[in-house]
Amino acid sequence: MAFFDIFAWIVLFLLIGTGVGVVVLLGLWPGKVARARNHPQSEAIAIGSWLTLLLGFVLWPLVVIWAYIKPSAAEHQLASMDERLARLEASTRANDEGSQP
């Protein structure tokens, strides 16, 4: 084998290794971001990241956005809705008990 043949094989293996490394880093990135930001759905984000990589990066940008957006406002709204529902149920029970002879 000539020097250029050996050099070509080395470059080919380096390119393949770099490509695999980039895909692995892209697969790990959204999950690490979600865990670092204490996202409540961090495991789903990590699984979604690897799944989209297997499907050809189609929805991977959405998973990255999902990792950066923490649904804290939605949790606050749900808590306030639960409180309002509990008050309504309590007032309904009080009205039902008061109206029965």
Side-chain angles (χ1 to χ4, degrees):
M1 285 180 117
F3 170 75
F4 289 113
D5 291 336
I6 295 171
F7 181 71
W9 279 108
I10 292 171
V11 169
L12 178 67
F13 287 133
L14 283 174
L15 286 174
I16 290 172
T18 303
V20 169
V22 166
V23 168
V24 168
L25 286 176
L26 289 176
L28 290 173
W29 179 30
K32 284 188 176 189
V33 167
R35 284 186 203 97
R37 296 172 62 94
N38 293 325
H39 198 288
Q41 300 155 339
S42 62
E43 289 301 315
I45 292 170
I47 291 169
S49 173
W50 286 107
L51 236 141
T52 58
L53 288 180
L54 292 176
L55 298 175
F57 289 95
V58 177
L59 298 174
W60 186 81
L62 293 176
V63 175
V64 173
I65 293 169
W66 183 19
Y68 278 101
I69 296 175
K70 189 172 180 180
S72 60
E75 291 175 5
H76 177 66
Q77 288 175 343
L78 285 176
S80 68
M81 288 173 63
D82 285 341
E83 291 172 11
R84 288 188 346 207
L85 181 63
R87 283 191 304 234
L88 285 171
E89 287 176 345
S91 68
T92 305
R93 270 189 244 117
N95 288 340
D96 287 344
E97 290 172 0
S99 65
Q100 292 179 356

